[in-house]
């Protein structure tokens, strides 16, 4: 590509390295912000989920301590909390007998 400046014709050669550097300067910070926000949202969700499961166990333990064996811990999924809930419910059933 050529442009004319006054009476001089100048060839313009694209600089792919310069384009790459400008794109990288724009994209990398934006990707970092997006990744940071996604990580924060995932952390918030995980925290709320764990807090809810712990609250269910705490409520069940308090009821069990007062002699109420009729309210089992709700079991969700197949993770460690589900295994703990199953064992808690088994313990409650054995104590009731």
């Amino acid at each position: 590509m050529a442009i004319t400046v006054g009476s001089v014709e100048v060839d313009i050669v694209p600089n792919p390295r310069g384009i790459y550097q400008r794109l990288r300067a724009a994209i990398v910070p934006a990707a970092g912000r997006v990744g940071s926000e996604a990580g924060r949202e995932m952390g918030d969700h995980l925290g709320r989920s764990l807090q809810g499961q712990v609250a269910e166990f705490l409520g069940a333990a308090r009821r069990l301590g007062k002699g109420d064996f009729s309210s089992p811990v709700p079991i969700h999924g197949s993770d460690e909390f589900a295994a703990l809930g199953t064992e808690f419910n088994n313990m409650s059933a054995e104590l009731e007998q």
Side-chain angles (χ1 to χ4, degrees):
M1 178 176 178
I3 61 169
T4 303
V5 179
S7 61
V8 178
E9 187 172 289
V10 179
D11 284 330
I12 298 177
V13 178
N15 181 353
R17 185 173 180 90
I19 293 170
Y20 169 76
Q21 289 171 341
R22 285 192 303 254
L23 282 173
R24 188 177 74 188
I27 291 173
V28 170
R33 287 189 299 273
V34 168
S36 176
E37 183 65 22
R40 188 181 65 78
E41 288 294 324
M42 288 173 36
D44 287 349
H45 175 72
L46 180 62
R48 286 190 302 272
S49 175
L50 291 175
Q51 183 179 11
Q53 290 176 320
V54 169
E56 287 178 343
F57 280 105
L58 181 59
R62 287 180 175 156
R63 290 190 301 275
L64 188 63
K66 292 178 182 177
D68 179 6
F69 300 98
S70 65
S71 300
V73 175
I75 307 297
H76 306 287
S78 60
D79 60 1
E80 288 81 4
F81 276 105
L84 180 60
T86 300
E87 292 303 318
F88 189 92
N89 291 340
N90 291 342
M91 176 188 68
S92 177
E94 288 180 22
L95 288 173
E96 187 175 24
Q97 298 174 359

